[in-house]
Amino acid sequence: MTRIASEALIERLIDWGVDTIFGLPGDGINGIMEGLRRHRDRIRFVLVRHEEAAAFMATGYAKATGRLGVCLATSGPGGIHLLNGLYDAKLDHVPVLAITGMQETSVLGTDYQQEVRLEHLYADLADYNQMISNPAQLPGLVDIAVRTAMARRGVAHLTFPNDLQIADADADPWAHVAPARPPETTPHYLSAPGTPRTEDLQRAADVLNAARRPALLVGAGALHARAEVTEVADVLGAPVIKTLPGKAVIEDDSPLTTGGLGLLGTKPSEELIDDIDTLFMVGTNFPYTAHMPKAGTVRVVQLEADPIRAGRRIPTEVPMVGDAKEGLRALLPLLRRNDNRAHLGKYRKAMDQWRENMKALQSPDRDPIAPQYLMGVIDDLADDDAILTCDSGTVATWAARHWTIRGDRQFYLSGNLATMAPGLPYAVAMQHAFPGRQVIAYIGDGGFAMLMAEFLTAVQHDLPIKVVVNNNNSLGQILWEQMVLGYPEHGVRYPEPFTDFSAWARACRAHGAKVTKAVDVESAVRTALSHNGPALVDVDVNPDEPPMPGKVSYEQATKFAQAFLKGQPRRVSIASTLFKDRIQQLGE
């Protein structure tokens, strides 16, 4: 049997340690599918229902494992469908390789059916973007693509014309003198040195040692540096603020943290950011500058893996380039212990009060069901090493505030792209990567409906993911954003009655339960978590529960009131919900 060029592609990916490819076949990649079939004992192909989901799965796989995620789509529309999931990888800086098909080389440029020049379409997206034009380029181009995705923490793209996919793997019809073959047999990735320059470390230490009211702002780039972040914070007496993608950097019940920052963050973090004299940013390029200190009011040190991003968000006195874990280890011997715990104690006390307020909102006595209660039940019942995936929208607020990082728990969502629909594909990919761990997808009804077919993918691959649908029968986040702009809501609620997604789960031959009363939430979630297989719980929650910012500004309150005055259609129900929230926080 002739060895085809697609085998050279697949074999080189196997050499790189790739064990899983997420994708959807098509006539533009039949040769690649044959290459996968011939090596099916060494690499797994996960058949999905939508190419967007394949890209999300590759992104989720990369986020959770730190390894290369790989997705595959056919030419034309298949490659187009990958884009949203791949932009999630690009904006959250995770390594993903996208492989797409392309029409035969003899018809390119003739407006052939499904002829889309994907290498042009991907020009803004991909850090490496190449159409294969000769089998002799393989496996050299694979090496460059993988190394680029890993080094630049982004997307690489290879598009492969289908006539070349089935060509002889050793063909070189033009007899090139030096085809792009790699020099070594087994490829490997050489990471850049992770320790900042000595002089930068000393400058950083000088600034941090002089701080009287410091704080750390840590992000996803520090997820692997929990011990080092904790030790630095303790030495400096500095509270730790966490970005949402960096929620799992340290435990939520740690006395060192004030939780998140921004619209989904906490009041103590908002107050802290206005009180500090020094900010140490570690593993984050936090984009929401409205929630950062005003330029020139604080001294700033940043430890960032990418020299392009170092110092980008706020005037930075000492930008350092390096890995969070290695950089903090090198910095620690230069830091002096701050024995004055007043600053840290002030925000520890504020955070204790915040946690009490959030706990008060997890009331089982509310009707309709409070979404905070639903998330609180999941938090109480989930394993200490559970992985929670989340969609964008109001669900992100409830997860940010009521999903507690403890033990080896993890939390993943679309950070910078903030797209809807990745929660379910993420869960599928992460259950593949970690078959022995509990993986829970916490999703809104809007996001679930977009890619709900992937629940059937989980069933057919026998993946025991648990899906909890926070069903408010609306596009909740947009609803509240309209009101904060001073506009009464419009076009954001679906017609009643609420959709029953549990029927879809049962149609897929999985466990499905519908919950409409708070008294049934705990038993339904407990049953789903203990079920030996895929399970879905669809919970009707209060559609008028607002995801209020941790600290409401005067402008936000004014605009909110204007929406009421202009004729907000459900103002009575919303006002009643806000009143109940306040009463419970004060203690019924």
Side-chain angles (χ1 to χ4, degrees):
M1 183 170 56
T2 302
R3 180 171 172 267
I4 60 176
S6 290
E7 288 184 86
L9 170 72
I10 299 304
E11 288 164 3
R12 200 56 174 176
L13 291 175
I14 293 170
D15 289 341
W16 276 101
V18 174
D19 58 14
T20 305
I21 296 179
F22 304 94
L24 188 66
D27 57 9
I29 53 171
N30 280 333
I32 298 175
M33 293 302 299
E34 173 61 12
L36 284 166
R37 186 193 69 81
R38 294 184 185 185
H39 295 281
R40 60 189 181 276
D41 60 330
R42 302 171 63 197
I43 192 165
R44 172 175 53 192
F45 176 72
V46 177
L47 174 62
V48 305
R49 261 69 187 181
H50 196 293
E51 291 94 349
E52 182 181 7
F56 279 137
M57 290 178 193
T59 300
Y61 185 94
K63 286 183 177 183
T65 65
R67 298 168 58 195
L68 180 75
V70 183
C71 56
L72 173 66
T74 191
S75 54
I80 294 169
H81 283 159
L82 290 176
L83 287 173
N84 194 48
L86 293 177
Y87 267 102
D88 185 33
K90 174 184 174 70
L91 270 61
D92 279 356
H93 311 292
V94 293
V96 170
L97 171 63
I99 303 169
T100 61
M102 178 62 67
Q103 276 64 31
E104 293 184 359
T105 55
S106 61
V107 299
L108 292 177
T110 67
D111 293 332
Y112 200 73
Q113 184 187 34
Q114 294 188 339
E115 183 184 346
V116 177
R117 294 304 294 263
L118 293 174
E119 78 276 23
H120 298 170
L121 182 65
Y122 280 48
D124 174 67
L125 166 68
D127 290 308
Y128 185 76
N129 183 26
Q130 185 66 40
M131 184 173 75
I132 297 166
S133 58
N134 187 340
Q137 293 173 291
L138 296 167
L141 292 191
V142 176
D143 286 9
I144 298 171
V146 172
R147 287 196 175 103
T148 303
M150 296 294 291
R152 298 186 180 172
R153 311 299 296 175
V155 176
H157 171 235
L158 293 174
T159 189
F160 204 172
N162 56 21
D163 55 331
L164 299 183
Q165 294 172 25
I166 58 174
D168 189 320
D170 295 318
D172 183 7
W174 297 277
H176 290 97
V177 175
R181 296 193 184 279
E184 74 274 5
T185 302
T186 303
H188 58 280
Y189 171 68
L190 296 174
S191 60
T195 305
R197 293 180 299 190
T198 301
E199 58 268 34
D200 291 339
L201 288 166
Q202 187 58 62
R203 290 173 57 220
D206 291 343
V207 172
L208 296 171
N209 287 332
R212 297 177 57 199
R213 300 186 309 280
L216 273 67
L217 175 60
V218 301
L223 284 171
H224 63 305
R226 175 180 289 184
E228 290 76 13
V229 167
T230 301
E231 188 172 356
V232 167
D234 181 60
V235 168
L236 294 175
V240 179
I241 303 169
K242 303 188 291 183
T243 69
L244 193 51
K247 182 175 172 63
V249 172
I250 66 172
E251 300 93 332
D252 278 315
D253 56 2
S254 167
L256 294 169
T257 188
T258 58
L261 183 65
L263 293 176
L264 279 62
T266 71
K267 184 178 180 181
S269 288
E270 291 289 331
E271 293 176 341
L272 173 62
I273 211 74
D274 292 332
D275 184 35
I276 58 175
D277 61 12
T278 305
L279 180 65
F280 185 15
M281 300 172 65
V282 181
T284 181
N285 192 37
F286 189 73
Y288 306 105
T289 52
H291 296 276
M292 298 281 275
K294 290 183 174 61
T297 62
V298 300
R299 305 180 77 180
V300 179
V301 174
Q302 184 176 10
L303 177 56
E304 166 61 53
D306 187 344
I308 296 173
R309 295 198 299 268
R312 175 185 289 181
R313 294 299 179 198
I314 186 173
T316 304
E317 188 171 343
V318 186
M320 293 186 291
V321 177
D323 172 75
K325 188 179 189 73
E326 294 182 44
L328 293 178
R329 277 182 179 171
L331 180 65
L332 272 163
L334 304 177
L335 298 178
R336 293 196 302 268
R337 181 172 182 82
N338 178 7
D339 291 323
N340 186 344
R341 301 277 120 169
H343 173 65
L344 182 61
K346 173 182 177 181
Y347 288 97
R348 181 181 298 174
K349 183 177 180 180
M351 197 59 193
D352 287 343
Q353 183 61 56
W354 172 265
R355 292 187 183 104
E356 288 182 15
N357 289 345
M358 292 301 100
K359 192 71 175 177
L361 296 175
Q362 297 174 196
S363 171
D365 301 323
R366 297 273 287 273
D367 182 24
I369 299 166
Q372 300 97 321
Y373 173 61
L374 172 60
M375 188 67 253
V377 169
I378 298 169
D379 183 58
D380 288 342
L381 298 180
D383 294 343
D384 282 350
D385 67 345
I387 298 171
L388 185 78
T389 68
C390 184
D391 254 22
S392 300
T394 56
V395 287
T397 299
W398 315 135
R401 295 176 179 174
H402 301 275
W403 172 252
T404 305
I405 297 298
R406 60 175 182 265
D408 196 29
R409 281 187 175 181
Q410 299 296 320
F411 174 74
Y412 297 100
L413 82 171
S414 175
N416 288 294
L417 187 61
T419 179
M420 293 176 67
L424 177 57
Y426 276 11
V428 170
M430 292 175 192
Q431 193 73 82
H432 269 294
F434 302 104
R437 291 178 69 173
Q438 189 179 69
V439 179
I440 306 168
Y442 177 61
I443 313 175
D445 54 296
F448 181 73
M450 286 184 173
L451 290 174
M452 60 189 287
E454 301 309 330
F455 187 77
L456 183 57
T457 301
V459 173
Q460 294 184 341
H461 284 271
D462 197 25
L463 298 172
I465 64 170
K466 315 305 177 188
V467 178
V468 180
V469 181
N470 184 89
N471 194 340
N472 59 14
N473 204 44
S474 65
L475 301 174
Q477 190 68 35
I478 308 304
L479 185 161
W480 300 109
E481 287 173 352
Q482 288 179 354
M483 292 184 64
V484 168
L485 289 171
Y487 310 141
E489 66 176 69
H490 180 70
V492 290
R493 295 193 195 256
Y494 293 106
E496 296 198 22
F498 285 23
T499 302
D500 182 0
F501 292 108
S502 70
W504 166 243
R506 293 190 295 274
C508 295
R509 299 183 180 180
H511 173 80
K514 181 69 171 180
V515 178
T516 60
K517 298 293 183 182
V519 68
D520 299 320
V521 169
E522 184 174 346
S523 62
V525 172
R526 188 185 300 277
T527 299
L529 292 180
S530 62
H531 179 70
N532 185 26
L536 182 147
V537 181
D538 180 13
V539 182
D540 290 352
V541 299
N542 186 356
D544 298 313
E545 181 72 49
M548 300 299 288
K551 185 177 181 180
V552 180
S553 70
Y554 175 79
E555 181 181 4
Q556 288 169 331
T558 300
K559 294 291 187 181
F560 199 80
Q562 287 175 357
F564 269 50
L565 294 173
K566 290 178 182 178
Q568 168 62 26
R570 297 172 66 108
R571 57 185 177 273
V572 173
S573 178
I574 293 168
S576 174
T577 299
L578 287 169
F579 178 74
K580 291 176 181 176
D581 285 350
R582 185 58 178 158
I583 289 296
Q584 286 182 322
Q585 288 179 338
L586 291 173
E588 287 185 302

